[in-house]
Structure formats: C-alpha cells, structure tokens
Amino acid sequence: MAPMGIRLSPLGMAVFCLLGLGVLYHLYSGFLAGRFAFFMLSEPAAGGPETPHGSAPGGAVDLRELLAVSVLAAVRGGEEVKRVREGNVLNAKAKGKTREGAEEQLTTGDLLSNRRMFYLLKGAFPAVQINSEERVDTADQETVSWDHSIPEDIKEKIQPREVPAESVTVWIDPLDATQEYTEDLRQYVTTMVCVAVNGKPVIGVIHKPFSSYTAWAMVDGGSNVKARSSYNEKTPRIIVSRSHAGKVEQVARQTFGNKTVIIPAGGAGYKVLALLDVPEKNQEEADVYIHVTYIKKWDICAGNAVLKALGGHMTTLTGEEISYTGSDGNEGGLIASINMNHKALIEKLPDLEKTSHK
C-alpha cells in the first residue's frame, strides 16, 4: 500500500509559525533583559558624571587635610609666579577694566599659577566647589597629585574636623597684586587660598612667593601667625590701595586727625599681613585696612579667615559680615582691624560707605 502523505492546512501552518515566533521572542527578550541589567549595574547613569572615589554626594571633607592642601597649593602657585617674573616672560595684557576704569592686567604668571593651584585642589577634593579669579581651561588640564602628607606644624595645632563637602567653597587668588607684579614691586605679591563653610571664612592661606613666607590660620583651630600687640587707636595707620589713597586720605584725616598715617600699598593679601606680626623686612605695618570700592571675594576671603581666626574683624564699611557664597563680588567696601574696637571704627567712617558702590 502506498504511504499516505501528511498535509497541513493554511491555518495549521499559521498556528505553527506563531508558536515558533513566541518561543524565540521569550528566549531573546530574557537575554536582552539580562544584558540591560548588567549594563545598568556596571556603568554610571547616562548623562551623569562618574562619581569619583571617596567623594560621593553627601560625603565629608576633613578641614585639616584641606588646610594642608591649601598651603601646598599656594606655595606651588607661588613657584610659578616667581619663575615667570624672574624669567621676565610675563606676556602682560589687559583682560578688562575695573569699575573705576583702570585696566586689569593678566600675565603668564596668573595663568600658570591658577592652573597649578586649581588642579591640585580639585584632584585632592573633587567634590568641593572651587572659585578662582582666572578661568580654568579644561583643554589645558594637568594632573597635580597630593601625597596626603600633612606638615608637622599643622598636625601639632589643628585637629581633624569633618564637614559636608557640599557646604565647602574654596576661593583661589593665583596672583594678588598683578599690577604691582608687572611693575616688579614684588613685596606686594601673594598667592592665596580660602576655605568657606556655609559662606563663612574658616581657612585662610596667604603666601609671599618672593620671600617664601606663608601665613595660615583656621577659625577655632590654630595658626602659624600672630597679631601685633602695639596699636595706636587715636591716630591709626591706615593701609589702603595705591589707586584709592587720595580718596581715603581726606576723609580719614577728618575722622582720625591730621596725624593719621596713610599707607598706600598693593594687594589685599599684603594689606592684611600689615595688621599682623609678620617676620618680613619689607612688610609695612598698619592698624586698619580700608577699601572703599567694589572688591572680589577671592581677594579678601583668605585675609578675612586669618583675621577671624586671630580674633580680628573684616566687614563691609557698614559693619556687615561678608558672605562667601553666591556672587564673586563684595559691593560694600571693607574695613579690617584686629585688637581694636571695630564697631567704634565703623562709626567713625560714615562717609566712606557712600563711595563703596561706585
């Protein structure tokens, strides 16, 4: 008998194909799901930066370590400032004008110091916000590592203290007194780092590149510098910016008397050091530091922290505390003193505040 053939109807063929496709879909979708889960567990979220090791959101920062890195950053930046000046390759150019119409200078020293300081601090504390006077060119990035060593004088005076990373703002001034730098008035030049916590200055570092002197202090911690003990509150010596000396002199003499000494100087860092006991032959001494116009926060934050750590004061001309968050400028001028009646000084200077917003 001849074998009988098996024939499937068109409907049966369709059902068979659908069953086969169902099996393949089930197997392949399981494979894709597994691969997707593996990808999500092993890679950072799309569009977001990879979280650096040890700096997860909400992490803590040790202020003693940050002080050590800040000192090192100021010194390293100062090395660049000194090298450029001694090599006489400043390449100075105008980067803009101040509110008073004076040209602001930019040199190779500013840029190289800024790069060295910024990347050292950023490499050591990647989760911390850093504000610098000069723009950071990401195309010119360099790796500057920190070996986690803490100088012995900092170890002896400062205890570890942790704060949330998101509460910290670092202010860098890679070359304070650039105008004086171009004029080769080296005594005025400093590099500075300040650490503010919730807008309040806590750590200040002021380094003088051409004498290798560094002053540092931490509020409620310690310092390597002291305030001077001799002051004459009746006829104080007032240190002011070279460009503002004439504006301050007339009012100051009317306020404090004709014997008041006006000291024109460059650089906010230098002016704060003038209020302290600094072992520098070419460092002038003053009792009060006054600035009567708009000033950037990276110019004054480090000095504010140092004075505050030593019991001194730096406020606006109306006595308001300066916050180191938000905008990078301070509109209210400033007056700084130490071991003096700061409130009484402010009350003597009502006329200067009127010029601070010009």
Side-chain angles (χ1 to χ4, degrees), residues 189-210:
V189 176
T190 62
T191 57
M192 296 188 286
V193 180
C194 177
V195 176
V197 178
N198 295 321
K200 298 180 179 180
V202 173
I203 290 172
V205 179
I206 305 175
H207 175 68
K208 299 184 76 173
F210 297 102

Side-chain angles (χ1 to χ4, degrees), residues 31-341:
F31 172 78
L32 287 178
R35 293 301 297 167
F36 181 74
F38 175 78
F39 175 80
M40 291 300 293
L41 289 171
S42 61
E43 296 292 332
E50 184 176 354
T51 301
H53 177 69
S55 60
V61 171
D62 182 358
L63 290 179
R64 183 171 75 165
E65 291 186 350
L66 190 46
L67 169 59
V69 178
S70 297
V71 170
L72 181 60
V75 172
R76 291 280 180 86
E79 291 170 354
E80 296 297 316
V81 168
K82 183 179 180 181
R83 181 175 63 82
V84 170
R85 178 66 265 184
E86 292 182 343
N88 199 28
V89 286
L90 275 63
N91 296 319
K93 61 181 180 180
K95 67 175 181 179
K97 290 189 176 183
T98 65
R99 292 190 178 184
E100 295 80 40
E103 286 191 346
E104 287 190 283
Q105 296 290 310
L106 177 67
T107 70
T108 301
D110 293 88
L111 297 175
L112 294 181
S113 175
N114 183 69
R115 185 176 68 178
R116 181 63 58 89
M117 294 173 71
F118 178 86
Y119 285 116
L120 175 57
L121 285 157
K122 197 64 178 177
F125 295 94
V128 166
Q129 178 182 341
I130 301 176
N131 296 335
S132 179
E133 178 174 8
E134 307 305 337
R135 187 176 65 86
V136 179
D137 189 352
T138 55
D140 199 25
Q141 182 174 348
E142 69 171 279
T143 301
V144 186
S145 60
W146 177 49
D147 61 5
H148 294 273
S149 64
I150 299 177
E152 289 301 320
D153 60 340
I154 293 179
K155 282 184 179 180
E156 292 174 1
K157 297 178 180 180
I158 307 295
Q159 296 298 315
R161 189 197 314 173
E162 291 191 343
V163 297
E166 62 267 23
S167 70
V168 175
T169 305
V170 177
W171 295 85
I172 298 175
D173 192 340
L175 201 170
D176 189 39
T178 300
Q179 180 61 47
E180 286 73 20
Y181 182 65
T182 63
E183 298 172 18
D184 208 16
L185 300 174
R186 305 183 183 194
Q187 71 271 23
Y188 297 128
V189 176
T190 62
T191 57
M192 296 188 286
V193 180
C194 177
V195 176
V197 178
N198 295 321
K200 298 180 179 180
V202 173
I203 290 172
V205 179
I206 305 175
H207 175 68
K208 299 184 76 173
F210 297 102
S211 64
S212 299
Y213 174 76
T214 306
W216 59 259
M218 178 189 290
V219 176
D220 297 327
S223 69
N224 72 339
V225 64
K226 297 179 180 179
R228 290 189 297 106
S229 57
S230 59
Y231 296 89
N232 189 338
E233 194 166 348
K234 293 182 178 179
T235 56
R237 291 165 291 182
I238 300 178
I239 194 164
V240 299
S241 294
R242 296 165 69 209
S243 58
H244 302 157
K247 184 181 293 185
V248 176
E249 183 172 4
Q250 183 177 0
V251 176
R253 293 191 186 282
Q254 290 174 352
T255 304
F256 298 110
N258 291 329
K259 294 183 179 180
T260 301
V261 178
I262 304 297
I263 305 172
Y270 178 90
K271 297 184 188 81
V272 168
L273 291 179
L275 307 181
L276 308 177
D277 186 7
V278 175
E280 291 278 289
K281 293 181 180 179
N282 60 355
Q283 175 67 59
E284 294 167 285
E285 296 182 351
D287 303 309
V288 181
Y289 166 27
I290 294 176
H291 189 88
V292 296
T293 61
Y294 174 87
I295 191 168
K296 294 295 183 70
K297 291 179 181 178
W298 42 67
D299 289 317
I300 60 177
C301 186
N304 197 340
V306 171
L307 288 173
K308 188 175 181 181
L310 298 175
H313 301 274
M314 179 183 287
T315 66
T316 67
L317 294 171
T318 57
E320 298 175 358
E321 296 295 331
I322 302 168
S323 174
Y324 295 92
T325 57
S327 69
D328 60 14
N330 172 52
E331 297 280 357
L334 71 84
I335 178 169
S337 68
I338 190 166
N339 289 345
M340 298 184 74
N341 187 332

Side-chain angles (χ1 to χ4, degrees), residues 17-48:
C17 291
L18 288 172
L19 288 172
L21 289 172
V23 171
L24 290 174
Y25 174 79
H26 177 74
L27 292 173
Y28 193 63
S29 63
F31 172 78
L32 287 178
R35 293 301 297 167
F36 181 74
F38 175 78
F39 175 80
M40 291 300 293
L41 289 171
S42 61
E43 296 292 332

